[in-house]
Amino acid sequence: MTGKKPSSRNGRLRESSAGADGGHAAFLPVSRGDMESRGWGELDFLFVSGDAYVDHPSFAAALICRLLEHEGYRVGIAAQPDWHGDDDFTAMGRPRLGVLVGAGNLDSMLGKLTASKKVRSTDAYSPGGRRGLRPDRATLVYCQRIRRLWGDIPLIVGGVEASLRRFVHYDYWSDALRRSILIDSQADLLVYGMGERQILEIAGALSDGVPVDAIRNVKGTCYAAGPDGLPEAFVELPSWKEISASRSCFAEAYRISSLEQDPIKGRPLVQHHEKKALVQLPPAFPLSEKEMDAVYDLPYRRTWHPMYDADGGVPALAEVQFSVTSHRGCFGSCSFCAIHAHQGRIIQARSHTSILREVRLLTRLPGFKGYIHDIGGPTANFRHPSCSHQATRGACRGRECLFPTPCRNLDASHADYLELLRKCRAVPGVKKVFVRSGLRYDYLLLAGADGRRFLEELCEHHVSGQLKVAPEHASPTVLRYMRKGDVGEYRKFMALYEAVNRRLGKRQYLVPYFMTSHPGSGLPEAVELAEFAAELDFCPEQAQDFIPTPGSLATCMYYTGMDPFTREPVFVPRSAGERRDQRALLQHRMPQNRERVLEALRRAGRMDCVKTLFPDGTMGKAARGPWQERPKRGEAAPARRRPRRRRSGDSQPPF
């Protein structure tokens, strides 16, 4: 490693020549001692990360830094530095080319607080699960420290937090609008999306001596500019001032920006702030299969850094250590999810050869017991682009692949994914390959006989008792705002799943995910969901409350109270009481929820649901059925003591 000019330029990824056991035994440097052991006097780049250092491709810091290392750069990681002082930032000295900053695999506020704005008890991305090791709004805090230390050093921000906060955005945790994170952080460049192409182009330009304020042509990046620095042609979004004065302008900004998020047809966007304008260049082109292979074939150690051994390691590794990412991107475009905005709507897949190489590698890791926990992506059965047109035309502007009805050009074949699963389960040392990432059952149903064949093999070989799927809701109103299909599709899939398992002689169950308090869900819709859960004889131990995370369509609806594409008003459950009611209705069989459920049913005028939700009749001492009279005026109600309520926990949604 010499810090010399790399051999690949303009965002083209060089094919990796070594796997995890190809001679790269050391972790990336985290201290001056690590640098000296490599004979380095200085770094080219310092990566400041809000997560603990886990050398695995599912962790952004490891992926980006290994890629830069492979291209010939000297890279060090300051993982979860103490932001109260300078020492952790300066331990490896001032880097030669620049500082990269990422808050971690989650937005730092989402990682800290639940939907009810309670502090989470643990942080899976910190050693021992300890919380409090990263600051609130970590990207901003780290950038402030770096600017104080090194002045005008090239400063590049990226990752989920930066990517989804790049425009004026609503922040749920402060219940306020915030400016672009690029403007507030005073960074030079913001990388949005996954970032491999962008970081290589930026690194190459800096290595060639190009000033950072002259790097203005890298797709998938944003920069701040004065009046003279705007691109020649662009689409202007409502400004910070206009959005601050009008929620309708916020909705319009979201509408326009979402239509331009395409690498082929997207145009530059400009959003003016007080003194400067945010300029977003169109998204980066998706990686090719060969480039995806190169990224995931890099020599990751696939475990946490040894400095965390005394803490018992980093809990987040357990979820991915024996899992394989087969692809990225999602054309499902659920309104509450920002994955399609971050990874794109065009699927980027790895080759079977690369995936099988990783599976064989996993069988040699300490602790492997024969089980591959997952082979998938954001949506497991979206392993190829939705149609043949996307490669040349991009994703359709203003149209979705599955909503409100499936596109006639949609390719719903599951043949490639099925063949991949067959190959993986045949690898020596593999006992079982599971599919645990999201599965779109409506997409599977579209595949006809091909989908049924896939489901049969899925049930026979890749399910262990339970298959998790996400109908999300039962109300047609809410599902429309979620951009999800009718619940009738879930009923069809339930019947097919039951029939397939019956034929196989297996007792396997579906575990549905439901979400409460989504925009569009009032009390009547929450009761519909409770009725459907009762029909399924299902009561989740944890309820997933909708969290308005930056960058999603549903968050735009939450803040503005309107659908930005139709401008029709959308009911939004905002108060803590409304959110508790909806969660209690879904968890109606929990004894601590019964009084609240009954009161909610009374207010909704749906006391006809009592027998449906409480078929055993055990409604608690304070419960009255619809057949019972209220005390007449002047009569005393029977004395009762309200039972102590226990609040159910909030699940942490994937982001």
Side-chain angles (χ1 to χ4, degrees), residues 29 70 283 297 353 355 358 429 464 485 498 529 547 581 596 643 649:
H70 180 68
D297 286 348
T353 300
I355 291 169
E358 183 172 350
S464 180
E498 183 180 350
L529 178 58
I547 302 179
D581 285 348
R596 180 174 285 276

Side-chain angles (χ1 to χ4, degrees), residues 125-145:
Y125 292 92
S126 296
R130 296 201 312 274
R131 54 188 173 91
L133 298 184
R134 72 165 66 78
D136 293 354
R137 313 186 198 287
T139 301
L140 298 180
V141 174
Y142 294 153
C143 287
Q144 289 166 1
R145 178 65 60 178

Side-chain angles (χ1 to χ4, degrees), residues 539-601:
C539 180
E541 291 183 5
Q542 290 187 321
Q544 182 176 330
D545 277 357
F546 167 69
I547 302 179
T549 51
S552 76
L553 169 59
T555 298
C556 178
M557 294 181 188
Y558 180 91
Y559 174 67
T560 64
M562 70 177 72
D563 184 321
F565 295 98
T566 66
R567 293 306 178 103
E568 67 178 30
V570 179
F571 174 81
V572 177
R574 299 183 188 278
S575 72
E578 288 176 300
R579 296 172 76 92
R580 283 196 295 268
D581 285 348
Q582 296 205 19
R583 188 166 60 239
L585 280 162
L586 180 58
Q587 298 175 311
H588 54 270
R589 294 191 182 176
M590 292 184 174
Q592 67 269 28
N593 288 337
R594 291 185 177 181
E595 281 194 31
R596 180 174 285 276
V597 169
L598 288 166
E599 179 57 33
L601 291 176

Side-chain angles (χ1 to χ4, degrees), residues 344-622:
R345 290 173 58 190
I346 300 175
I347 303 299
Q348 305 155 70
R350 296 168 62 189
S351 70
H352 290 201
T353 300
S354 174
I355 291 169
L356 289 169
R357 185 159 52 237
E358 183 172 350
V359 169
R360 287 190 288 269
L361 185 153
L362 294 183
T363 65
R364 301 192 295 269
L365 290 182
F368 182 73
K369 298 180 180 179
Y371 300 100
I372 302 295
H373 296 162
D374 186 35
I375 294 180
T379 301
N381 53 336
F382 288 178
R383 237 204 68 89
H384 54 75
S386 61
C387 72
S388 59
H389 302 303
Q390 285 191 337
T392 55
R393 302 180 192 171
C396 292
R397 182 183 176 90
R399 297 179 59 188
E400 306 295 345
C401 299
L402 285 164
F403 179 86
T405 57
C407 176
R408 66 176 183 272
N409 294 319
L410 187 64
D411 178 4
S413 172
H414 284 60
D416 174 73
Y417 189 34
L418 182 56
E419 181 186 358
L420 175 63
L421 292 174
R422 287 171 177 168
K423 290 178 180 178
C424 290
R425 68 178 187 247
V427 171
V430 173
K431 298 177 183 177
K432 192 91 170 179
V433 175
F434 297 112
V435 175
R436 293 174 59 185
S437 50
L439 188 76
R440 282 294 291 256
Y441 55 82
D442 51 349
Y443 180 66
L444 186 150
L445 292 173
L446 290 172
D450 177 62
R452 185 181 179 94
R453 183 164 53 252
F454 171 79
L455 183 60
E456 287 174 349
E457 291 207 24
L458 183 78
C459 292
E460 185 173 5
H461 298 289
H462 306 290
V463 177
S464 180
Q466 296 180 341
L467 178 65
K468 296 177 180 179
V469 290
E472 302 293 359
H473 217 278
S475 163
T477 300
V478 181
L479 289 169
R480 179 162 57 91
Y481 291 125
M482 287 180 164
R483 303 303 196 253
K484 298 276 286 187
D486 187 82
V487 75
E489 295 296 297
Y490 182 61
R491 295 184 193 276
K492 291 178 185 177
F493 181 72
M494 284 194 299
L496 181 59
Y497 183 78
E498 183 180 350
V500 167
N501 279 291
R502 190 185 310 115
R503 189 184 66 78
L504 293 172
K506 289 178 174 285
R507 297 185 64 185
Q508 299 188 132
Y509 305 95
L510 286 176
V511 178
Y513 279 116
F514 293 120
M515 182 182 292
T516 60
S517 301
H518 189 276
S521 179
L523 197 53
E525 290 77 20
V527 173
E528 284 186 74
L529 178 58
E531 288 182 286
F532 187 60
E535 175 190 329
L536 302 180
D537 195 23
F538 177 70
C539 180
E541 291 183 5
Q542 290 187 321
Q544 182 176 330
D545 277 357
F546 167 69
I547 302 179
T549 51
S552 76
L553 169 59
T555 298
C556 178
M557 294 181 188
Y558 180 91
Y559 174 67
T560 64
M562 70 177 72
D563 184 321
F565 295 98
T566 66
R567 293 306 178 103
E568 67 178 30
V570 179
F571 174 81
V572 177
R574 299 183 188 278
S575 72
E578 288 176 300
R579 296 172 76 92
R580 283 196 295 268
D581 285 348
Q582 296 205 19
R583 188 166 60 239
L585 280 162
L586 180 58
Q587 298 175 311
H588 54 270
R589 294 191 182 176
M590 292 184 174
Q592 67 269 28
N593 288 337
R594 291 185 177 181
E595 281 194 31
R596 180 174 285 276
V597 169
L598 288 166
E599 179 57 33
L601 291 176
R602 289 190 193 98
R603 284 189 281 109
R606 292 298 310 274
M607 292 303 288
D608 59 298
C609 294
V610 171
K611 286 188 176 181
T612 301
L613 301 188
F614 304 108
D616 57 0
T618 57
M619 298 177 291
K621 294 180 180 179

Side-chain angles (χ1 to χ4, degrees), residues 192-223:
Y192 70 93
M194 297 302 286
E196 293 96 345
R197 286 193 186 283
Q198 300 94 304
I199 203 64
L200 290 187
E201 284 197 57
I202 293 167
L206 292 173
S207 182
D208 285 345
V210 177
V212 69
D213 58 6
I215 301 175
R216 295 291 183 262
N217 60 350
V218 179
K219 296 187 73 170
T221 65
C222 301
Y223 60 88

